[in-house]
Amino acid sequence: MNKFNEPSSILMIDLETLDVQVTAQVVEVAMLYMQSRVCREKLHTYVDLDAELTSFFTQSKSTMEFHINSNTEVLENHLRAVVQDRAIKMSNLIQHINSLTSDIANDTMIYCFGPNFDMPILSYVAQQTYTKLQLPSYRNLRCLRTELATAEALGFTYEKKPTAHNAIEDCDAQVKLLFSIFDFYKDLTNGTNN
């Protein structure tokens, strides 16, 4: 097996939403931009739906029940942020994300726990708010689930922790998991890419 070369720049993305469809109302976003395993930029925000956009975004009963029955604190945290005026409007979400991503390296690897969930939702928000999502090349998009399954097939083991359903905590945990996978790959290939 060839020596493993770790990506020098990584952007981890995590969303909390009120539905699992592409039209889901986003209520929380977290992003961590890592360079050489050091956090260079961080974004964590709650999102409130503009009144004029309510017909474009959805909440599902099953997702709401999941948050309530699982005691995820998503709804509580979102409500607290809205009441305390700490939530940006959905119409400003993409510009808010772009303020972090516009200056990051184009060869940055983008990771989500499920890109087929997070990325279509963010793209839909951009479409409905007439904005453009500025991310590094989509060819750099990677699924953390796939990365984990590949590593496990090669013998990687880790202590699984429950998902917090707090975007910034989950984002941080996912970065740590990814780096432990990279360390495993290096050990496996006797790589020392520090």
Side-chain angles (χ1 to χ4, degrees), residues 3 42 70 75 106 149 159 179-180 187:
K3 175 182 172 181
K42 177 169 76 170
S70 302
L75 302 177
N106 197 46
E159 182 184 346
F179 288 151
S180 66
D187 289 342

Side-chain angles (χ1 to χ4, degrees), residues 14-15 26-31 43-45 47 93 97 122 167:
D14 191 72
L15 305 181
V26 178
V27 295
E28 188 182 4
V29 178
M31 294 184 170
L43 180 148
H44 179 223
T45 189
V47 185
L93 176 59
I97 291 171
L122 289 179

Side-chain angles (χ1 to χ4, degrees), residues 52-116:
E52 66 271 20
L53 295 176
T54 54
S55 60
F56 297 104
F57 297 95
T58 56
Q59 301 177 12
S60 73
K61 182 180 178 184
S62 60
T63 302
M64 301 290 276
E65 287 176 346
F66 168 80
H67 288 310
I68 292 167
N69 295 336
S70 302
N71 194 28
T72 65
E73 298 184 5
V74 167
L75 302 177
E76 180 184 345
N77 289 342
H78 178 251
L79 180 60
R80 183 179 294 115
V82 170
V83 168
Q84 296 176 353
D85 200 27
R86 293 189 299 112
I88 65 168
K89 290 295 185 181
M90 185 78 92
S91 56
N92 296 326
L93 176 59
I94 301 303
Q95 294 98 321
H96 200 64
I97 291 171
N98 289 345
S99 69
L100 176 140
T101 59
S102 60
D103 293 329
I104 68 177
N106 197 46
D107 63 349
T108 298
M109 301 305 293
I110 310 168
Y111 281 89
C112 310
F113 206 70
N116 57 341

